[in-house]
Amino acid sequence: MSEYARSLPLTDLSQDEAEFRQVVRDFADERIRPRVHAMDEAEQIPRDVIDACFELGLMGIEISAEYGGAAAPFFMSILAIEQLARVDPSLAVLVDVQNTLVNNALLRWGTESQRKKYCPKLASEWVGAYALSEADSGSDAFALACRAEADGDHYTLTGQKLWITNAAEAELFIVMATIDPAKGYKGITSFLVERSFPGLTIGKKELKLGIRASSTCELILEGCRVPRENVLGEPGKGYKIAIETLNEGRIGIGAQMVGLSQGALDLAVQYSQERQQFGRPIAEFQAVQFELAELATQIEAARLLTYNAARLRDVRLPFVKEAAMAKLFASRTAERVASSAIEVHGGYGFTREYPIEKYFRDQKVGQIYEGTTNMQLTVIAKQILGKMH
Ligand SMILES: Cc1cc2nc3c(=O)[nH]c(=O)nc-3n(C[C@H](O)[C@H](O)[C@H](O)COP(=O)(O)OP(=O)(O)OC[C@H]3O[C@@H](n4cnc5c(N)ncnc54)[C@H](O)[C@@H]3O)c2cc1C
């Protein structure tokens, strides 16, 4: 498999991959596109849309068939996120967090009984969320203050998480807390916390610039009792889970930004062929053609970086630098493409009657979450400087 995969062009899809991509693309175009504007205005993803994602198998892509998942490689998640983001980056990030962070962490570090308990739910009905950030620890994530104290057969979690994607919908949260602040990052531990556990409440929902339909909420833990058997991985190894899942997760954000860019370019291309000025479609002006060509080239480069990082991850080759590069480049590409696509639309692009302005609002977060642009540059610099010694 690995020799075969490596000998192929990155964008050449296997039959399974091509069919899956088409299914997600059709789903996004036919069932999601008509509802995107209303979801953005309501700042909510209706439950029936989430249920449709479960029915299509988009919420448990890597989960094994025995637990109701699609047993597919990580790359399939990347294809799904890209195709959803072409139409709605909010729905894309819901699916992204589920697959690349929550399911991924559970599959990799969960015990057999944890997987048996939670994978079937995550593949069929439960949305998951990933709670690392706090008000005073963002880029400096391991300065987190959320505390976990051992108490017989339970831990008691106390603290507040901020910016938690999917929190409004989620039934399961992967929460990072410290069992011993004196140990610094070596005290950080991951917990599987069910929404129904006493002491967990969902706090304020953020009102955002973009991806408004995606919920981003505070998570309040007030003596939340979590059974010891719900520690994910070993106590004190939560930092490793966080680093490694985010390394993979940022490939998902790269895919989200590639899909978003493609969606914006598609609209700009279509509009440029319809809009007439000086007696002809604006697409006939070379300046417009050249800009569209520049954007298409940037997107292709971002897609290649993203696909390459995902395929490296699937064949267990080093991918950390490539994943950071993919997210860095794809998020910058999305900013450029969404901005230019508005200009191609002229004044109409600046109104909320046309769908293009939403792409501009939605792209900005790509340079913030799962590690800001500066954090991606830090990862890349560490990798290249480390290799020079
Ligand atoms: C919509 C949304 C959804 C999110 N979803 C989740 C989620 O599901 N789970 C979760 O845990 N978190 C989530 N986050 C949080 C996100 O990961 C953080 O916002 C991000 O890590 C940045 O942290 P911060 O906001 O505290 O910014 P800060 O860390 O305060 O950064 C502010 C600025 O300082 C720069 N900076 C900071 N330190 C350095 C440095 N050492 N060198 C150079 N520059 C530096 C940053 O690059 C940035 O430009 C989400 C955020 C948003 C906006």
Side-chain angles (χ1 to χ4, degrees):
M1 164 65 193
S2 62
E3 285 306 313
Y4 180 60
R6 260 183 273 161
S7 67
L8 285 173
L10 285 172
T11 51
D12 187 80
L13 302 183
S14 70
Q15 193 179 341
D16 278 354
E17 290 167 350
E19 282 172 11
F20 178 70
R21 183 179 65 169
Q22 193 61 46
V23 166
V24 184
R25 194 183 174 96
D26 292 346
F27 168 73
D29 279 331
E30 290 159 21
R31 298 192 47 197
I32 305 303
R33 199 183 289 283
R35 302 180 66 176
V36 170
H37 182 71
M39 293 197 302
D40 186 54
E41 289 290 312
E43 306 198 25
Q44 199 177 8
I45 301 176
R47 183 66 212 192
D48 70 288
V49 170
I50 297 172
D51 288 341
C53 290
F54 278 111
E55 278 158 31
L56 210 57
L58 302 183
M59 299 294 272
I61 294 175
E62 281 190 273
I63 290 177
S64 65
E66 108 188 77
Y67 296 137
F74 180 79
F75 184 70
M76 290 292 210
S77 301
I78 294 308
L79 288 178
I81 295 160
E82 180 189 357
Q83 290 309 315
L84 292 174
R86 240 183 90 245
V87 172
D88 186 18
S90 288
L91 186 60
V93 79
L94 181 136
V95 169
D96 168 80
V97 167
Q98 180 90 1
N99 286 286
T100 74
L101 297 180
V102 179
N103 296 349
N104 191 8
L106 183 62
L107 288 172
R108 181 133 173 233
W109 284 281
T111 60
E112 202 174 328
S113 72
Q114 287 170 343
R115 290 201 300 265
K116 198 167 170 188
K117 182 169 183 189
Y118 292 118
C119 284
K121 287 186 160 61
L122 288 164
S124 65
E125 55 175 329
W126 276 18
V127 173
Y130 184 89
L132 173 64
S133 304
E134 299 179 1
D136 294 326
S137 73
S139 300
D140 190 10
F142 297 153
L144 60 80
C146 185
R147 188 82 169 89
E149 281 174 291
D151 176 14
D153 58 356
H154 279 71
Y155 279 93
T156 303
L157 268 57
T158 305
Q160 293 188 2
K161 294 290 174 183
L162 202 62
W163 313 115
I164 307 311
T165 299
N166 294 352
E169 300 84 9
E171 291 293 338
L172 184 68
F173 297 82
I174 294 183
V175 176
M176 306 289 172
T178 177
I179 52 171
D180 184 356
K183 285 194 176 147
Y185 72 91
K186 288 187 177 160
I188 295 172
T189 304
S190 286
F191 297 88
L192 294 162
V193 184
E194 294 182 27
R195 190 186 192 94
S196 61
F197 286 174
L200 180 149
T201 44
I202 309 301
K204 179 171 74 99
K205 183 177 166 190
E206 304 298 337
L207 300 177
K208 308 192 298 294
L209 168 73
I211 57 163
R212 298 197 308 175
S214 159
S215 68
T216 312
C217 312
E218 203 180 6
L219 187 66
I220 302 164
L221 299 150
E222 290 167 307
C224 177
R225 278 169 71 72
V226 180
R228 262 182 200 269
E229 72 229 29
N230 276 35
V231 169
L232 180 63
E234 286 170 49
K237 291 284 168 63
Y239 73 95
K240 191 169 155 60
I241 296 179
I243 290 175
E244 296 193 11
T245 42
L246 288 172
N247 280 338
E248 298 176 340
R250 60 180 60 123
I251 309 175
I253 303 304
Q256 184 200 26
M257 292 295 120
V258 170
L260 184 157
S261 304
Q262 188 65 54
L265 177 65
D266 292 350
L267 291 177
V269 166
Q270 188 189 341
Y271 185 84
S272 72
Q273 290 167 325
E274 290 165 4
R275 174 68 175 170
Q276 304 251 344
Q277 287 293 281
F278 301 95
R280 59 171 95 157
I282 59 168
E284 287 185 16
F285 300 117
Q286 196 179 50
V288 174
Q289 291 174 3
F290 278 12
E291 182 57 14
L292 296 173
E294 290 281 1
L295 302 182
T297 306
Q298 298 277 317
I299 297 170
E300 190 65 8
R303 181 176 291 116
L304 290 171
L305 281 170
T306 304
Y307 283 15
N308 190 44
R311 292 209 193 271
L312 286 171
R313 187 271 190 196
D314 271 336
V315 295
R316 309 259 163 241
L317 287 170
F319 66 88
V320 172
K321 180 184 70 180
E322 291 76 5
M325 287 175 166
K327 183 194 180 263
L328 172 79
F329 190 81
S331 58
R332 285 178 170 167
T333 297
E335 182 168 38
R336 160 103 197 258
V337 173
S339 175
S340 260
I342 289 182
E343 288 182 45
V344 169
H345 282 71
Y348 297 102
F350 198 65
T351 70
R352 285 167 71 169
E353 261 176 64
Y354 279 73
I356 198 66
E357 59 85 31
K358 179 174 174 295
Y359 287 85
F360 186 69
R361 290 188 283 108
D362 286 354
Q363 57 76 24
K364 193 64 222 183
V365 75
Q367 294 182 54
I368 297 170
Y369 57 17
E370 298 204 24
T372 63
T373 282
N374 281 350
M375 291 301 109
Q376 306 309 319
L377 291 167
T378 305
V379 169
I380 298 163
K382 265 193 197 150
Q383 294 277 324
I384 56 179
L385 291 168
K387 281 192 182 135
M388 283 164 69
H389 296 298

